[in-house]
Amino acid sequence: MHELPVMNGILRVVMKHAAMNRVTKVAAIQLRVGKLSDLEEKWMQHYFDYLTQGTVADGAKLEIEWGDVVMRCAGCDREFTTEPHTEAFGICPHCKGKGGKILSGKEYYVKNMVAL
Amino acid sequence: MSDNVRLIEVKENILDDNEKVAAALRARLKEEKTFLVNLMASPGAGKTSTVIQTTARLKEAFNIGVLEADIDSMVDAEKVAATGITAIQMRTGGFCHLDASMVGDGLDAIGSQDFDLILLENVGNLVCPAEFDTGSALNAMILSVPEGDDKPLKYPLMFSVCEVVLINKIDTCEHFDFDRARFEEGVKKVNPSCTLFDISCRTGEGIDAWVAWLKERTKAHNA
Ligand SMILES: Nc1nc2c(ncn2[C@@H]2O[C@H](COP(=O)(O)OP(=O)(O)O)[C@@H](O)[C@H]2O)c(=O)[nH]1
Ligand SMILES: [Mg+2]
């Protein structure tokens, strides 16, 4: 369900840049999606294909890079990368402190697009 | 890459647009002295019950409005309106969350400037609402005991964006193996400064403490 509004947002950005650059066909879109997102690659492409029918982005392939979750430890103030949905999630590797502030890992970022 | 293939730099975060609208709403509500609370939870966790318990205790102190966004249902708005509180049902068109522009429409419809406190019942779901800033001054979530103590680990984003978490249905603790300490540890992992309240909308336990806290926050915002 959530894929649709997110993919719509991506399409809006893509269409804007396609118009600015007078693109006639978008072949691929390079995204960075934070690992805290619950979206699945397969479904993202599926919804995107549905939304782009008849547009310049029809058939464009989504190339997704998953962005790490980075936190700042509440105990020692150092930054660390942590893997969601694992036992070690949120545990600072420096001081073993449990938790802190999430600095990144929730982005939906359109990096580049490959156009014809 | 062949000559006719171009790489176009985009560098845009798709949530930026929503965040801009949300920031503008927050500024507007600050100006209007209206404290907007975004209530998030799973379906059935007790959002509507909490709204009713909370407004019943604060309606002497504040002019309170309620925005209901449960998917395609008038029931919650009617339930709240039956207690004498102004409530309107927002149209989410089956969306899994509210974005800031939908909330802006809801605030216009209810006439936000006339209220000191507006409670927004977001769509029941622990995933999507966490990603979309509604323009509220306070994000609050309700986790009910039967849902289990492992939810912060499964939905870290939701717990990271809420300043306060209400543990509802505390009256049912004896029937579930809910480990209160494990739950709190999970919340603090992604949100060390989060405030927790144990409440029961059934027995009324703990509601006064939450309401006292909310009252102070509302006054501080509107001062
Ligand atoms: N035992 C118990 N049941 C509750 C409590 N709070 C809500 N409920 C019940 O849980 C169900 C869902 O509550 P509701 O407020 O509609 O949840 P919402 O879907 O999040 O708005 C209703 O049957 C409520 O009566 C509570 O503290 N204890
Ligand atoms: Mg409800």
Side-chain angles (χ1 to χ4, degrees):
Chain A
M1 198 156 54
H2 188 39
E3 275 81 355
L4 206 49
V6 171
M7 298 325 292
N8 235 327
I10 290 171
L11 180 60
R12 214 166 38 231
V13 168
V14 166
M15 295 304 270
K16 185 175 88 187
H17 286 262
M20 280 179 349
N21 292 281
R22 287 193 222 84
V23 165
T24 52
K25 184 158 178 54
V26 180
I29 298 152
Q30 298 168 349
L31 304 171
R32 192 177 66 233
V33 179
K35 284 184 184 172
L36 286 171
S37 159
D38 273 296
L39 298 197
E40 281 183 42
E41 207 157 330
K42 187 182 113 188
W43 287 103
M44 291 171 80
Q45 183 74 55
H46 185 80
Y47 279 99
F48 194 71
D49 290 346
Y50 166 75
L51 290 172
T52 51
Q53 285 168 30
T55 72
V56 293
D58 198 337
K61 171 138 184 32
L62 298 177
E63 294 168 4
I64 300 165
E65 165 193 316
W66 293 93
D68 280 335
V69 180
V70 178
M71 294 179 69
R72 186 193 310 285
C73 178
C76 71
D77 212 38
R78 275 181 285 191
E79 289 181 17
F80 62 95
T81 300
T82 186
E83 208 58 45
H85 308 295
T86 64
E87 275 302 307
F89 177 68
I91 297 174
C92 173
H94 308 294
C95 74
K96 307 290 170 229
K98 287 181 186 165
K101 185 176 159 50
I102 296 173
L103 302 178
S104 69
K106 47 183 176 183
E107 66 276 15
Y108 290 107
Y109 188 71
V110 185
K111 286 166 52 185
N112 300 303
M113 53 197 229
V114 179
L116 301 178
Chain B
M1 244 179 237
S2 69
D3 287 350
N4 53 358
V5 175
R6 285 189 287 160
L7 189 70
I8 297 168
E9 228 179 49
V10 179
K11 290 191 169 167
E12 274 196 48
N13 199 333
I14 68 146
L15 297 177
D16 285 355
D17 283 351
N18 186 63
E19 265 145 43
K20 273 184 213 136
V21 179
L25 273 187
R26 235 182 322 273
R28 158 186 159 184
L29 291 166
K30 181 78 191 167
E31 193 78 13
E32 292 178 0
K33 298 185 189 295
T34 303
F35 190 57
L36 177 66
V37 179
N38 174 26
L39 260 184
M40 298 178 280
S42 304
K47 293 180 294 302
T48 306
S49 305
T50 302
V51 165
I52 289 170
Q53 293 290 337
T54 304
T55 54
R57 286 167 175 78
L58 284 177
K59 65 182 174 196
E60 308 300 328
F62 302 125
N63 221 337
I64 311 176
V66 174
L67 297 177
E68 285 292 343
D70 246 14
I71 298 174
D72 290 335
S73 140
M74 289 294 288
V75 180
D76 289 342
E78 281 166 6
K79 243 189 242 168
V80 173
T83 69
I85 296 288
T86 308
I88 65 164
Q89 177 69 42
M90 295 172 64
R91 291 186 204 298
T92 56
F95 251 49
C96 51
H97 65 271
L98 291 170
D99 65 21
S101 62
M102 294 188 224
V103 174
D105 292 345
L107 293 171
D108 291 341
I110 202 168
S112 55
Q113 68 285 350
D114 298 338
F115 296 94
D116 307 309
L117 171 65
I118 294 182
L119 302 178
L120 167 66
E121 179 172 342
N122 211 315
V123 182
N125 154 359
L126 296 182
V127 180
C128 324
E131 294 184 335
F132 288 82
D133 189 341
T134 56
S136 69
L138 176 73
N139 279 335
M141 85 155 285
I142 304 168
L143 183 286
S144 61
V145 166
E147 291 170 76
D149 54 39
D150 61 346
K151 290 299 164 288
L153 305 177
K154 293 195 171 147
Y155 305 97
L157 197 55
M158 174 56 80
F159 288 89
S160 75
V161 299
C162 291
E163 229 182 290
V164 59
V165 172
L166 307 178
I167 308 175
N168 188 31
K169 309 195 187 181
I170 209 79
D171 57 291
T172 68
C173 261
E174 58 178 305
H175 306 290
F176 298 93
D177 55 352
F178 186 86
D179 184 339
R180 173 71 174 70
R182 179 166 183 248
F183 176 76
E184 180 158 353
E185 188 181 292
V187 175
K188 297 276 159 109
K189 246 188 189 178
V190 290
N191 191 351
S193 58
C194 187
T195 303
L196 288 89
F197 289 100
D198 297 14
I199 65 164
S200 167
C201 293
R202 174 71 45 91
T203 66
E205 182 187 344
I207 307 264
D208 287 340
W210 142 248
V211 166
W213 184 90
L214 179 64
K215 189 173 180 180
E216 287 314 306
R217 288 297 306 265
T218 307
K219 281 201 223 154
H221 177 271
N222 296 350

